[in-house]
Amino acid sequence: MDDDHGRISTRRIADAFAELLPEHREVIMRAYCGASVTELAGALSVSEDIVKSRLHHGLRPFRSALQKNGVTVP
């Protein structure tokens, strides 16, 4: 992959991520960095069910935004 393609993909991913609600961005980013649902719940002072809900309701529009921005999503 050349540098221009990498920059374009990174920009498209960042644009898609920016479309999410802040609470969805936060749990997705922390989960991506390896935090468990239990750890996220403790860090955010919410229940594990809330964390799961935010992940679910954040990932769906994130995938859609990625596709809209031309990023292939498995």
Side-chain angles (χ1 to χ4, degrees):
M1 170 173 25
D2 63 45
D3 287 335
D4 288 338
H5 180 71
R7 279 194 291 270
I8 291 168
S9 294
T10 300
R11 180 61 183 174
R12 288 178 179 174
I13 292 168
D15 288 348
F17 199 64
E19 292 182 27
L20 300 176
L21 295 173
E23 59 267 20
H24 295 159
R25 283 196 304 264
E26 183 171 24
V27 295
I28 291 170
M29 181 59 73
R30 288 183 183 214
Y32 177 78
C33 291
S36 70
V37 170
T38 302
E39 291 168 334
L40 285 167
L44 301 173
S45 300
V46 297
S47 72
E48 290 183 17
D49 287 339
I50 295 290
V51 171
K52 291 175 189 177
S53 175
R54 288 180 184 176
L55 282 168
H56 174 77
H57 291 288
L59 287 172
R60 188 173 353 143
F62 185 48
R63 283 187 195 103
S64 295
L66 287 171
Q67 290 171 337
K68 181 181 81 178
N69 289 337
V71 177
T72 304
V73 179

